Amino acid sequence: MTDMRKDRPWLIRTYAGHSTASASNALYRANLAKGQTGLSVAFDLPTQTGYDSDHILARGEVGKVGVPVSHLGDMRTLFQDIPLEQMNTSMTINATAPWLLALYIAVAEEQGADVNALQGTVQNDLIKEYLSRGTYICPPAPSLKMIADVAEYCYTNVPKWNPMNVCSYHLQEAGATPEQELAFALATATAVLDALKPRVPAEDFPALVGRISFFVNAGIRFVTEMCKMRAFVDLWDEICLERYGVEDPKYRRFRYGVQVNSLGLTEQQPENNVYRILIEMLAVTLSKKARARAVQLPAWNEALGLPRPWDQQWSMRMQQIMAYETDLLEFDDLFDGNPAVDAKVEALKEGARQELANLDSMGGAISAIDYMKARLVDSNAERLGRIESGETVVVGVNKWTQGEPSPLMTGDGGIMVVDPAVEAEQIGRLDAWRQDRDAAAVKRALADLRAAARDGLNVMEPSIAAAKAGVTTGEWAAEMRAVHGEYRGPTGVSGARSNRTEGLEELRNAVDAVSDRLGRRLKFLVGKPGLDGHSNGAEQIAVRARDCGMDIAYEGIRLTPAEIVAAAQEDEAHVVGLSILSGSHIPLVQDVMEQMRAAGLGHVPVIVGGIIPDDDAERLRAMGVARVYTPKDFELNTIMMDIVQLVDPQAVAAE
C-alpha cells in the first residue's frame, strides 16, 4: 500500500574540491545551481595531514585530490557567496578536523551567521585512518581525545553539527568483509562514546549519542550490502540501548551518509562503472528502514583520474532520477518480513557480534588497531586472489575483455588535470598571508593552543582564536605534533610467508634461482613517497612478493624520496617499487630517480604503480622507470615475474 506522505529525498552531494579555494568555490556554486542540496568538501593531502603548501612533504600534492586550505583566507574564499547558515556541509577531514571546523566557524561568524544554526559534519574518525586511509598525525590516544574535544564543543556551541562521522567507507575500500565493516565501525563508535561519556552530565549523554553519525560504503553485491545496512540499524539500536541505556529511540537512530564503492570501479571499459554506481546506490536507497540520509556518488572515470564537472553532474543526475522520477519514496519498507533478507541480516549480525566480542576482549578498537589492520590486508589479499583466479567475475577485467573503444575517452582523455602552476601560486598566497598578519597575535595564539593541548583542555576554543589570528594549518598541526608526538601506523604486512601456495610454485622456483645467481635473497623495497595514505596496492604487492620468497622491505606510508633512497642504499635493494595514487607521481618519481642516480643507485630498476594516465606513463619511462603499472594490471603474479626478470643477472647479461 502506498503512503500518501512521500518520504523526503536524501541529501544529494558531490564530493568535490581541487586546485585552489577559488576554483573549488566556483565548482560548489555551479553544483548547487544544478540541484545539489548539500556540500561535501574534499581537502588536499597537505591540508589533511597538517602541512602548509610549502612543506617538503607537500611537494607535488598541492590541490591534487582536494582543495588546499592553509589559513582563514583560503576558507573565506572557499565559501565566498555561499551562505553557511543555509548549508549542510560535510568535510572529509580527520587529523586536522578541530582546525578545519575552527576555520569554518570563524568564516561563518564573519558572514554574520548564527553559529548555533550551522549544520554539517566533520568526519573526524581517526581510527580508520590508521587502518586504511593514512591521514593521521598523532598517536591513537591523543587523537581520540581530540575527537571528544570536537564532540563536546559542538554539543554545547554548534548543536546541529555532527562532530564525528564513524567511517566504515574506507574499511571496505581496504578489503573489509561486510562483517568486518560492521564490527570495526561499531567498535570505533563505542571507543568514541566511551571517551565522551565522562565529559557530559548523564542526562545529556543520550542527545550526544544521537549526534554520532556514520559514513558507509555500498559495494556491488547489493542485496548483501542492503542487508548490511539493515544489520547496522539493528546493531546500533542494540548497542545504544544495552551498552549506553539510551531510552529514546530517536537518539538510537542509525544516521548515515554514503559514498558507494570506488574500489570496484575499473580502468578497463570504464563506461561500465556507470551501471556499477547505480546498482550500488540501490543498496542504500531501496530499504526505507535503512535508507541513507545523504548520498554522494563517485564518477564513472574515478579509476582514471580526477573527474570533470560534467562527470560529477552525470552522477548527480543519477541520484535525482532515482529520487524524483521513480516512485521509490512513496512506499513503506519493501523488505520487511522477507525471509531471505531476514536470514541474511541475522547472519551478518551474528558474524559482527562475534568480531565485536573479539575486539572487546582485546580492550576495544584503540588496542586492536594492529589486529584490525592485519585482518584487512588478509581480506583484501583473498578478494584479489578471487579476481585473479576468475572465481569473482569482473566484467571487462577478467571476463568479456574485448570491447569497443569508449567515445567518452576522446579529447582530454576523459579526466581533469590540475595545472602544475597551482602549487607555486598557492605558496605565493601563503607567503603573502604570513607577511600581512600580526606576528605577535599569532605567537600568543599558538602559545595558548599548546598550553591547552599540553594541559588536557579542550582545543576547540584556542583553535578558533588561532584561526582568527591568522595561524596556518601547518602551524596548528606542528603544536599537536610537539605536544603529542608523531605516529607510524602498522602496515599489516608481516614478514612471515602466508600458507598460500596455489599458483606460486613456478614463481617461487624463479625467485630461488635468481637469488642463487645474485648471491643472496632477492631484495625488494616497496615505498610510498609523498602524502598519499591509500596503501592497499603497496600492501598487496609486498604480501605477494613475500609469498613468492622475496626478501621485502615495506615501511608504510608518507616517506620522503630521500628516505626511500637511503633505505634502498642501506638494504642494498635489487629493485625499488613506488606506489602513488594521489596524482603526484611525476614530481615525486622524478625526485626519487635523481636522488637514486646521485647515490650511485642508477643501475637499480625502479617500478611504479598508481592511477597513471598513458601520457604520464610515457614520461615516467623516459625518466628511466623500468615498468609502470595501473589498476588494469590486476594480475599480481605477472608483476612478480617482471620483477624477477628485471633483476636476473642472466637476463640482464643476455640483453
Side-chain angles (χ1 to χ4, degrees):
M1 178 179 143
T2 59
D3 179 0
M4 296 318 288
R5 293 188 313 280
K6 197 171 172 180
D7 209 15
R8 214 180 44 199
W10 51 88
L11 271 175
I12 295 175
R13 287 190 173 129
T14 311
Y15 181 55
H18 66 84
S19 305
T20 64
S22 56
S24 300
N25 172 261
L27 181 64
Y28 296 163
R29 287 190 291 149
N31 283 346
L32 290 167
K34 290 172 186 169
Q36 187 171 302
T37 53
L39 291 175
S40 179
V41 182
F43 296 100
D44 75 354
L45 287 171
T47 305
Q48 292 186 49
T49 49
Y51 294 107
D52 285 332
S53 299
D54 57 356
H55 192 278
I56 176 71
L57 275 168
R59 182 160 183 257
E61 306 277 20
V62 176
K64 284 276 167 55
V65 301
V67 59
V69 175
S70 295
H71 47 70
L72 184 61
D74 286 340
M75 194 64 114
R76 197 181 282 146
T77 303
L78 187 63
F79 292 110
Q80 195 170 337
D81 301 322
I82 298 175
L84 295 186
E85 203 171 316
Q86 295 166 32
M87 277 301 112
N88 191 310
T89 305
S90 165
M91 294 195 280
T92 301
I93 197 71
N94 295 284
T96 51
W99 174 241
L100 271 297
L101 180 58
L103 290 172
Y104 188 86
I105 289 169
V107 168
E109 286 182 359
E110 284 183 355
Q111 287 188 359
D114 173 6
V115 173
N116 264 296
L118 294 179
Q119 291 189 65
T121 305
V122 273
Q123 195 166 92
N124 202 22
D125 173 1
L126 260 300
I127 294 175
K128 67 95 178 43
E129 294 301 317
Y130 304 121
L131 300 178
S132 54
R133 202 163 157 271
T135 70
Y136 54 79
I137 297 174
C138 298
S143 295
L144 186 63
K145 187 252 173 202
M146 280 190 271
I147 296 173
D149 283 357
V150 173
E152 184 184 25
Y153 181 84
C154 289
Y155 156 75
T156 310
N157 301 283
V158 202
K160 294 180 179 174
W161 195 270
N162 300 318
M164 196 254 178
N165 202 224
V166 181
C167 187
S168 74
Y169 174 82
H170 300 93
L171 302 177
Q172 188 177 132
E173 295 292 297
T177 64
E179 292 86 349
Q180 286 169 344
E181 190 182 335
L182 285 161
F184 295 1
L186 292 168
T188 297
T190 56
V192 171
L193 288 176
D194 289 352
L196 269 172
K197 200 171 183 189
R199 289 186 171 216
V200 296
E203 64 273 16
D204 293 351
F205 185 66
L208 204 137
V209 172
R211 292 286 1 135
I212 299 290
S213 61
F214 290 75
F215 187 71
V216 303
N217 200 327
I220 195 72
R221 293 170 57 78
F222 85 98
V223 178
T224 297
E225 296 290 279
M226 187 272 295
C227 293
K228 178 189 79 184
M229 296 323 307
R230 289 172 71 92
F232 254 134
V233 169
D234 290 353
L235 288 166
W236 184 239
D237 188 74
E238 201 173 283
I239 287 167
C240 291
L241 186 62
E242 292 173 12
R243 187 179 178 119
Y244 298 113
V246 177
E247 296 292 340
D248 188 338
K250 181 178 75 181
Y251 295 138
R252 303 199 304 263
R253 240 179 70 216
F254 185 78
R255 297 159 54 251
Y256 78 100
V258 70
Q259 155 111 355
V260 307
N261 186 275
S262 295
L263 183 68
L265 302 185
T266 63
E267 185 182 1
Q268 303 92 314
Q269 302 179 16
E271 61 281 358
N272 296 346
N273 293 330
V274 174
Y275 301 131
R276 293 186 177 107
I277 293 163
L278 173 61
I279 289 164
E280 289 169 350
M281 185 171 79
L282 297 178
V284 293
T285 52
L286 281 181
S287 170
K288 182 174 179 175
K289 178 183 167 189
R291 184 171 294 146
R293 288 310 325 154
V295 177
Q296 58 192 44
L297 302 179
W300 68 280
N301 54 354
E302 252 186 44
L304 307 172
L306 196 61
R308 300 156 300 188
W310 180 86
D311 308 312
Q312 294 191 327
Q313 174 186 303
W314 200 13
S315 281
M316 184 158 49
R317 293 290 180 253
M318 198 186 289
Q319 293 206 51
Q320 289 165 328
I321 290 165
M322 179 70 86
Y324 295 102
E325 290 192 22
T326 77
D327 57 356
L328 176 68
L329 297 177
E330 295 168 20
F331 289 85
D332 279 335
D333 200 291
L334 306 176
F335 301 98
D336 279 351
N338 178 308
V341 168
D342 288 349
K344 183 65 179 173
V345 170
E346 286 310 312
L348 287 169
K349 280 157 59 175
E350 194 43 47
R353 283 192 196 105
Q354 284 174 11
E355 189 63 90
L356 278 166
N358 186 20
L359 295 172
D360 259 346
S361 73
M362 296 179 196
I366 292 282
S367 309
I369 283 169
D370 287 36
Y371 162 79
M372 291 192 285
K373 178 67 181 175
R375 292 295 300 121
L376 290 174
V377 171
D378 291 346
S379 295
N380 208 15
E382 286 164 18
R383 182 189 70 84
L384 280 170
R386 287 193 296 272
I387 294 172
E388 271 186 288
S389 69
E391 184 189 335
T392 296
V393 171
V394 184
V395 174
V397 172
N398 62 5
K399 203 159 179 151
W400 305 297
T401 53
Q402 295 303 306
E404 299 297 323
S406 168
L408 295 172
M409 303 289 289
T410 54
D412 56 11
I415 55 169
M416 188 173 82
V417 178
V418 173
D419 185 344
V422 157
E423 189 160 319
E425 290 164 13
Q426 174 68 10
I427 290 170
R429 281 189 296 273
L430 177 60
D431 287 340
W433 176 265
R434 289 192 189 119
Q435 294 297 319
D436 292 346
R437 63 190 184 171
D438 177 343
V442 168
K443 198 173 170 185
R444 277 196 306 276
L446 289 173
D448 291 346
L449 179 65
R450 187 182 317 132
R454 190 187 56 228
D455 299 341
L457 304 174
N458 193 312
V459 297
M460 276 307 298
E461 284 194 3
S463 294
I464 295 168
K468 292 174 179 174
V471 164
T472 68
T473 297
E475 290 165 343
W476 181 89
E479 296 301 338
M480 299 304 123
R481 287 180 164 96
V483 174
H484 302 304
E486 286 261 20
Y487 182 73
R488 297 281 309 155
T491 65
V493 179
S494 77
R497 283 189 194 186
S498 74
N499 52 15
R500 187 183 169 207
T501 54
E502 205 181 329
L504 296 184
E505 292 84 354
E506 187 190 343
L507 270 166
R508 284 182 170 178
N509 293 338
V511 170
D512 288 346
V514 169
S515 298
D516 289 346
R517 287 196 280 277
L518 290 167
R520 61 190 173 93
R521 186 62 35 195
L522 193 167
K523 183 77 182 189
F524 178 32
L525 173 74
V526 180
K528 280 193 66 63
L531 296 176
D532 165 38
H534 288 93
S535 53
N536 294 351
E539 288 156 4
Q540 293 308 319
I541 291 285
V543 164
R544 185 62 59 85
R546 174 202 71 195
D547 289 350
C548 290
M550 297 183 203
D551 180 7
I552 57 148
Y554 172 58
E555 291 303 314
I557 61 170
R558 235 186 287 172
L559 300 170
T560 63
E563 287 171 327
I564 290 169
V565 173
Q569 200 158 24
E570 192 180 325
D571 289 345
E572 297 179 0
H574 294 112
V575 64
V576 173
L578 304 176
S579 166
I580 308 165
L581 284 99
S582 62
S584 55
H585 41 268
I586 296 288
L588 288 171
V589 173
Q590 190 167 6
D591 210 351
V592 171
M593 297 306 284
E594 285 169 3
Q595 293 194 40
M596 289 278 285
R597 282 191 280 273
L601 300 175
H603 61 287
V604 176
V606 174
I607 62 175
V608 178
I611 297 174
I612 301 170
D614 290 346
D615 291 355
D616 284 3
E618 283 304 316
R619 286 179 66 188
L620 294 177
R621 282 189 278 266
M623 288 175 201
V625 170
R627 298 277 189 282
V628 178
Y629 301 102
T630 68
K632 70 175 179 291
D633 301 297
F634 68 95
E635 290 180 339
L636 298 188
N637 287 356
T638 306
I639 298 173
M640 296 302 124
M641 198 52 95
D642 285 353
I643 293 169
V644 170
Q645 286 163 355
L646 277 174
V647 299
D648 185 354
Q650 269 188 1
V652 173
E655 279 175 21

